[in-house]
């Protein structure tokens, strides 16, 4: 597993607004979309393309187009859904699979309640979307689903991460072709498993409290 921390003043500025407890849900959703746009540029650096012949108004040329099979975007429901539109805006060439995972609040273990993925992901580049990498359980479970289905490369885009989550990903995927791009690496987790300083519960801030 390879970790990449985005280091950019515009991302840091938007992350500060996102973290601020006074930021409304509508502004939070807007900021998430903007941040995903910026991170997608970096996360797709290894996007596979093939030569593509076109004619400009002046001459023929060989450009590139996204290679088949098309990449797969996988938002982890719920909070990852808040990142999907921003991602698809830059990557409309994707198909989309869904994984629903919620963390058990007592054990902090991930519980999968939905999974709608192509059965065969051989040769597919996958892009997992989840704003939070806390203990790492949810992301590790999702990445394992994708690798088990034959994905050759998994890129995860997260907004905030705790060192514990990064470490779990390193332990679980020491050699696999897995990259994690984050906007910020925070201090750690509190006794409830929340990232500190973090941004609270991303799902609740996007969509409100459901339970
Ligand atoms: C949050 C978050 C991640 C997960 C991270 O989801 O969106 O999916 O926790 O925690 P982990 O790294 O310790 O697994 P949550 O379980 O709150 O569900 P929600 O997105 O439906 O709110």
């Amino acid at each position: 597993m390879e970790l990449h921390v985005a280091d950019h003043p515009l991302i840091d500025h938007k992350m500060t607004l996102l973290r601020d407890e006074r930021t409304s849900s509508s502004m939070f959703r807007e900021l998430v979309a903007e941040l995903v746009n910026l991170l997608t540029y970096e996360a797709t650096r290894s996007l596979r393309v093939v030569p593509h012949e076109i004619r400009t108004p002046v001459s023929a040329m060989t450009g590139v187009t996204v290679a088949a099979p098309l990449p797969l975007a996988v938002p982890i429901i719920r909070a990852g859904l808040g990142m999907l539109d921003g991602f698809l805006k830059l990557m409309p060439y994707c198909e989309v699979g869904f994984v629903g995972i919620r963390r058990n609040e007592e054990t902090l273990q991930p519980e999968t309640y939905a999974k709608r993925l192509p059965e065969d992901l051989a040769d597919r580049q996958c892009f997992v979307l989840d704003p939070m990498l806390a203990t790492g359980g949810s992301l590790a479970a999702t990445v394992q689903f994708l690798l088990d289905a034959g994905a050759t490369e998994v890129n995860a885009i997260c907004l905030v991460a705790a060192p514990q989550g990064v470490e779990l990903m390193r332990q679980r995927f020491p050699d696999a072709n897995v990259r994690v791009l984050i906007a910020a690496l925070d201090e750690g987790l509190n006794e409830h498993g929340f990232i500190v300083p973090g941004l609270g519960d991303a799902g609740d801030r996007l969509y409100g409290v459901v339970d």
Side-chain angles (χ1 to χ4, degrees):
M1 190 283 278
E2 204 180 292
L3 177 74
H4 184 78
V5 185
D7 181 17
H8 194 289
L10 187 55
I11 289 178
D12 295 344
H13 171 84
K14 289 183 189 295
M15 282 298 294
T16 304
L17 294 172
L18 190 78
R19 292 173 185 276
D20 192 327
E21 64 180 2
R22 294 168 300 182
T23 297
S24 66
S25 275
S26 64
M27 180 57 75
F28 192 91
R29 288 193 289 269
E30 184 68 30
L31 285 163
V32 168
E34 290 174 8
L35 282 158
V36 172
N37 260 255
L38 295 168
L39 293 169
T40 299
Y41 175 78
E42 185 61 32
T44 51
R45 203 166 270 286
S46 65
L47 185 67
R48 281 201 298 263
V49 292
V50 290
H52 183 64
E53 305 295 329
I54 58 160
R55 285 198 67 83
T56 75
V58 180
S59 74
M61 70 162 277
T62 306
V64 298
T65 191
V66 174
L70 293 178
L72 186 77
V74 183
I76 302 179
I77 303 169
R78 272 182 318 166
L81 283 179
M83 299 172 73
L84 183 60
D85 281 355
F87 185 77
L88 290 178
K89 203 165 191 172
L90 284 193
M91 284 281 287
Y93 330 97
C94 274
E95 293 179 345
V96 183
F98 296 89
V99 172
I101 297 183
R102 75 190 300 262
R103 207 170 60 158
N104 182 304
E105 282 174 14
E106 274 145 36
T107 65
L108 299 186
Q109 291 305 303
E111 294 173 351
T112 303
Y113 59 85
K115 184 150 74 82
R116 189 81 197 269
L117 296 170
E119 272 177 26
D120 182 8
L121 290 177
D123 246 6
R124 298 285 290 263
Q125 286 184 300
C126 297
F127 294 88
V128 181
L129 308 172
D130 193 332
M132 323 273 284
L133 176 57
T135 67
S138 304
L139 183 60
T142 303
V143 169
Q144 193 62 59
F145 291 144
L146 300 172
L147 295 176
D148 289 347
T152 46
E153 180 188 320
V154 182
N155 299 277
I157 305 178
C158 302
L159 300 182
V160 278
Q164 292 91 329
V166 172
E167 188 49 35
L168 182 85
M169 291 295 292
R170 281 211 174 98
Q171 284 170 10
R172 293 279 297 276
F173 309 105
D175 304 317
N177 194 2
V178 175
R179 296 194 199 105
V180 179
L181 170 64
I182 59 178
L185 183 60
D186 278 14
E187 290 162 21
L189 299 173
N190 68 13
E191 66 275 23
H192 306 294
F194 276 89
I195 300 173
V196 180
L199 45 75
D201 184 314
D204 288 355
R205 294 198 65 182
L206 283 161
Y207 303 119
V209 182
V210 288
D211 52 13

